[in-house]
Amino acid sequence: NYVLSASYSIVNNMILYSNVVYPDTAGFVERGNYFMITPDDAEVLNFHGEISGKFSKRMSFSTSANYYKYTLSANEYAWNKPDWDGRFGLFYNLRDKIIAGAEVTALGRRKLMVSKSPTGWMTLEPQVVEQPVHVNLGLSAEYRYTRILSFWVKVDNVSWNRYYEWAYYPSQMFNFMAGFSYSL
């Protein structure tokens, strides 16, 4: 299976966020961090592709990727928006009872606007900070007890890699989820 698409959008007042860093009395920059909304009119061009299939009766794969091109009227960059993102997953099905998977996700470089205030609110000094490409590995498993009841486990960021979703807002690093699905 495959999907290829392209889209072009004109967005009025696209919400972009920048950070204002105002250190508190304890001196930790993370505690004095606030978001500032910077709306902008944007044209967004997106190319999207997906491919999925089977290597064998038990082994399958799925992959997807996006490329984004932002044209903005007021801002230099689309703050905190990546130029691209992608995902690749492998899945193994053992007798339709146990399904195990591994998935690699990647997020392209992003530019962040950070306005630092060393002395007070009236002295904001804007800086452009670049977040590097981030690659993440996740593992999953599902046990299908019956056709209507299954139990699943998912582990993300297996490498314990610290990365920032937003400036000065770190990810949770290792993430573990468990649950069940019930369908009639």
Side-chain angles (χ1 to χ4, degrees), residues 91-157:
F91 307 96
Y92 185 76
N93 186 341
L94 181 64
R95 297 188 197 144
D96 290 326
K97 279 292 197 188
I98 298 174
I99 299 170
E103 190 170 75
V104 176
T105 58
L107 187 64
R109 288 185 295 160
R110 298 167 288 144
K111 300 225 189 271
L112 302 127
M113 170 64 78
V114 178
S115 297
K116 292 190 176 184
S117 176
T119 59
W121 285 106
M122 303 307 276
T123 59
L124 292 176
E125 299 170 1
Q127 297 176 355
V128 177
V129 176
E130 187 169 322
Q131 290 291 321
V133 171
H134 175 70
V135 178
N136 193 352
L137 174 64
L139 302 173
S140 63
E142 179 182 1
Y143 174 67
R144 293 182 177 167
Y145 184 69
T146 64
R147 288 180 171 251
I148 62 172
L149 180 63
S150 67
F151 300 92
W152 55 268
V153 173
K154 186 171 183 176
V155 178
D156 285 322
N157 203 1

Side-chain angles (χ1 to χ4, degrees), residues 4 6-7 10 29 42-43 66 72 93 95 118 123 142 151 165 169-170:
L4 295 173
S7 66
I10 298 174
V29 73
E43 297 175 15
N66 287 294
L72 305 168
N93 186 341
R95 297 188 197 144
T123 59
E142 179 182 1
F151 300 92
E165 293 283 339
Y169 284 89

